[in-house]
């Protein structure tokens, strides 16, 4: 039995406990943001280096301009990337990962590598499903 209450100390409050399975947890909201299709691909791409908007849009094949803009805003709000306006004519904007974004991108890159290496297995499973 703990003697914490006897010393006038209490255990952690529910506000301090992070649990990705809890509906109201900040980590869950960030998890949902990061695991969206476009956000995951944007993070992996930015793991390669800085990108301007249009170059990033070309790298993440299939994303619309509107969806990329929304995704970048969400990731910036979550502290995953920074948006830097460069003084040039015309002005340029570049996106890069924060330290947190780099750690998340590294984990996503590992998942992407695993899936890319597993394409034969994935194709076999999908062919079985069609039969």
């Amino acid at each position: 039995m703990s003697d914490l209450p006897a010393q006038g100390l209490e255990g952690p409050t529910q506000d301090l406990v992070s649990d990705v399975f809890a509906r109201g947890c900040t980590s869950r909201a960030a998890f949902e943001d990061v695991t969206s299709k476009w956000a995951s691909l944007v993070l992996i791409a930015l793991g390669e280096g800085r990108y301007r908007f249009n170059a990033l849009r070309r790298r993440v094949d299939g994303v619309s301009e509107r969806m990329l803009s929304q995704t970048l805003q969400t990731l910036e709000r979550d502290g995953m990337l920074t948006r830097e306006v460069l003084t040039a004519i015309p002005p340029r904007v570049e996106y890069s990962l924060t330290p947190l974004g780099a750690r998340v991108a590294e984990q996503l890159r590992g998942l992407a590598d695993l899936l890319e290496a597993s394409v034969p297995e994935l194709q076999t499973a999908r062919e079985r499903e069609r039969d």
Side-chain angles (χ1 to χ4, degrees):
M1 186 162 119
S2 172
D3 63 345
L4 288 177
Q7 296 175 355
L9 301 174
E10 297 178 16
T13 66
Q14 192 60 32
D15 293 340
L16 298 178
V17 176
S18 295
D19 181 359
V20 76
F21 293 103
R23 183 180 329 161
C25 185
T26 302
S27 67
R28 180 168 172 169
F31 186 84
E32 290 171 357
D33 292 341
V34 165
T35 58
S36 74
K37 171 175 60 176
W38 299 122
S40 293
L41 293 171
V42 164
L43 286 166
I44 292 169
L46 287 172
E48 301 168 351
R50 302 171 70 87
Y51 274 93
R52 291 173 57 188
F53 185 89
N54 286 325
L56 187 57
R57 186 165 170 235
R58 285 188 299 274
R59 180 70 176 121
V60 182
D61 190 25
V63 67
S64 69
E65 191 170 310
R66 180 173 179 247
M67 185 54 67
L68 179 57
S69 180
Q70 288 176 350
T71 299
L72 291 167
Q73 289 173 4
T74 298
L75 292 172
E76 184 177 18
R77 180 201 67 212
D78 286 345
M80 302 284 170
L81 61 83
T82 58
R83 177 183 184 272
E84 184 179 357
V85 179
L86 304 171
T87 53
I89 299 176
R92 293 182 9 202
V93 176
E94 289 188 344
Y95 297 90
S96 60
L97 295 177
T98 63
L100 173 60
R103 292 193 309 271
V104 171
E106 184 179 341
Q107 297 296 313
L108 291 169
R109 180 74 257 175
L111 178 59
D113 290 345
L114 172 68
L115 291 170
E116 289 171 351
S118 301
V119 165
E121 292 172 69
L122 294 167
Q123 288 174 329
T124 299
R126 288 179 175 207
E127 288 169 6
R128 265 196 313 266
E129 182 64 27
R130 280 186 249 155
D131 294 339

